[in-house]
Amino acid sequence: MKNILLNIFALWALCSITGCSDFLEEKSDSRLATPVTLEDNQALMDRTFNTVLSNSISGQISADEIYLTDADYGNLIYEFEKRLYTWQPGEVSSSDENDWGSCYRRINVCNTVLYNIEHYQIAGAENLKGQALALRAAIYLEAAQIYCLVYNDNTANTDLGLPLRLDPDMNIPSKRSSLKETYSQIISDLKEAATLLPDAQIALIRPSKATALGYLSRTYLFMGDYQNALEYGKQTLSINDKLIDFNSLNPSDSYPIKSMNIEVLLHSSMVYSQFLSGSMAKIPQSLYNSYVNNDLRKSIYFRFNTAQQILFKGNYSGGATRMTCLATDEIYLNVAESYARLNDIPKAMQTLNQLLKTRWKTGTYIPMTANSQGEALDIILKERRKELLFRGLRWSDLKRYNRDGAGISLERIVNGTTYKLPPNDLRYAIAIPEDIIKMTGMPQNPR
């Protein structure tokens, strides 16, 4: 009743100002609801929460970079976060929000812009079209890491992929493509985007050519196509190879790495999660101990709470927001790993050393060397984990390492109960929300 009275009062107030008959008889202008200009559609892409600032959290919660104390686990509000943390086979989505809904909401923004560009024949929209294609591809790649098994050439034609929605029409039924079709769409979008985009944009929330090339390098790395991962990584660095000198940062700052810094190719972040908050998610002691004292990341990335537990402060946001940004440090690691996989050990170590010398205290870094492919990969993959901590990439890395025979098992102990995730387990493809399965009739991920 209270809300009804408030609404009546608001309508009365508006009528008293404008005249009720004029207000009620005013015809709506459909142009106010339909973005038909270049500026309108760019504004849609620039609404960051609907594009780049609500990336998925499921992989970060499920991977092995962080842990919760039993007390913190008991204080979690959302049951789905508890189930993700313990690798439960189903019912891992929230009724209010989930990564599936977030991914497809953001994809629909891209599809809407692409449709508008074509349908309204918007002139001069090459840059905008490239942004929409690159971002759609990036989101599909993100979703594939969560809801699909790792890409494997031998099974990609039959493994379940994602519903490839390329049109904003919500009435088109959803059906799952193959994993090969999913990755083919991602690559197609990124390659087309790279031909349309400028090398850099006026704002880092907008994908650029360097962004599209960087995502191609990431995509091919996830697929195990190291020649293409190398080629597109090198093309990315030919546009932007800048790295932060960590000697220029102040480790006593609450968050030493600033937002929109010179390494960022696309500014993006995870949606807020209580689980991933700055005070709750703890870093394992063994991971912290892997940083030597002259490695400035040890003081830039971490702080201790009053209980002497290790917390992460190395976000590329300049604050508590957890970033998933594509950045040049990742590209250096892609290139180094790809060289090593292709057995070019000197170039692999040279590329890695270019990155690491910017992370060590001035005058203390001794270039790393390797005498074999196995030794080089061991060094590079350890540094990848240490450099890209809390960037949403570890879950994907675990999946591809195990595909290639690494045999990494995960284990957590929560309230005295041990939970395990063996290598290549089907639960590496997280369950699609149950309401989506009921609504669409699509097959659920096998458990």
Side-chain angles (χ1 to χ4, degrees), residues 101-379:
S102 171
C103 284
Y104 279 94
R105 182 184 67 245
R106 289 179 285 139
I107 286 168
N108 193 59
V109 172
C110 299
N111 286 340
T112 298
V113 169
L114 291 168
Y115 172 84
N116 290 343
I117 290 171
E118 181 178 353
H119 184 74
Y120 298 109
Q121 299 181 348
I122 299 174
E126 291 80 10
N127 185 344
L128 179 60
K129 181 178 181 181
Q131 293 173 47
L133 287 168
L135 191 58
R136 182 172 73 180
I139 300 166
Y140 270 125
L141 182 63
E142 173 191 334
Q145 305 319 300
I146 299 170
Y147 297 109
C148 301
L149 295 172
V150 66
Y151 189 92
N152 187 321
D153 267 333
N154 297 323
T155 59
N157 274 317
T158 54
D159 286 340
L160 288 169
L162 298 168
L164 293 174
R165 301 194 65 90
L166 308 178
D167 189 290
D169 185 353
M170 303 298 288
N171 295 311
I172 299 173
S174 291
K175 61 178 182 178
R176 296 188 73 170
S177 65
S178 71
L179 193 56
K180 186 176 184 64
E181 290 169 331
T182 295
Y183 274 80
S184 294
Q185 184 64 51
I186 291 167
I187 291 168
S188 175
D189 279 356
L190 289 171
K191 285 184 175 180
E192 184 178 359
T195 68
L196 299 169
L197 291 165
D199 287 357
Q201 298 277 17
I202 62 170
L204 290 173
I205 61 168
R206 296 180 181 178
S208 64
K209 182 175 183 177
T211 305
L213 295 172
Y215 273 115
L216 278 166
S217 178
R218 180 189 286 185
T219 301
Y220 281 119
L221 191 79
F222 288 172
M223 295 172 70
D225 183 342
Y226 301 112
Q227 189 62 59
N228 275 312
L230 172 62
E231 178 58 34
Y232 286 105
K234 289 166 61 179
Q235 288 185 39
T236 307
L237 294 178
S238 73
I239 297 174
N240 182 0
D241 63 355
K242 296 182 179 68
L243 290 167
I244 301 168
D245 181 353
F246 273 34
N247 289 278
S248 68
L249 303 178
N250 183 358
S252 64
D253 285 351
S254 298
Y255 297 98
I257 303 174
K258 304 312 175 187
S259 179
M260 308 289 186
N261 63 68
I262 60 172
E263 293 186 8
V264 175
L265 300 173
L266 181 69
H267 179 86
S268 62
S269 67
M270 299 176 202
V271 71
Y272 174 77
S273 163
Q274 177 197 14
F275 187 108
L276 302 177
S277 64
S279 61
M280 187 169 284
K282 313 298 191 302
I283 302 297
Q285 184 73 46
S286 59
L287 181 54
Y288 175 78
N289 290 343
S290 69
Y291 298 80
V292 300
N293 288 335
N294 284 328
D295 184 344
L296 294 171
R297 292 174 298 187
K298 195 167 190 175
S299 56
I300 297 296
Y301 280 5
F302 305 110
R303 66 180 178 88
F304 290 83
N305 62 15
T306 54
Q308 293 302 294
Q309 295 161 332
I310 305 160
L311 305 174
F312 185 74
K313 64 172 184 174
N315 305 306
Y316 270 48
S317 62
T321 302
R322 304 304 194 182
M323 302 306 291
T324 55
C325 55
L326 183 73
T328 55
D329 60 339
E330 177 192 343
I331 306 302
Y332 274 92
L333 289 161
N334 291 357
V335 170
E337 180 181 342
S338 297
Y339 272 131
R341 300 279 187 186
L342 297 169
N343 210 27
D344 191 337
I345 308 308
K347 286 184 179 177
M349 301 312 294
Q350 178 186 12
T351 305
L352 180 67
N353 288 324
Q354 282 181 270
L355 168 64
L356 293 185
K357 70 182 180 182
T358 67
R359 271 44 180 167
W360 253 252
K361 185 178 179 181
T362 300
T364 66
Y365 184 69
I366 300 173
M368 295 190 180
T369 59
N371 296 316
S372 67
Q373 182 184 49
E375 188 179 355
L377 282 171
D378 184 60
I379 294 169

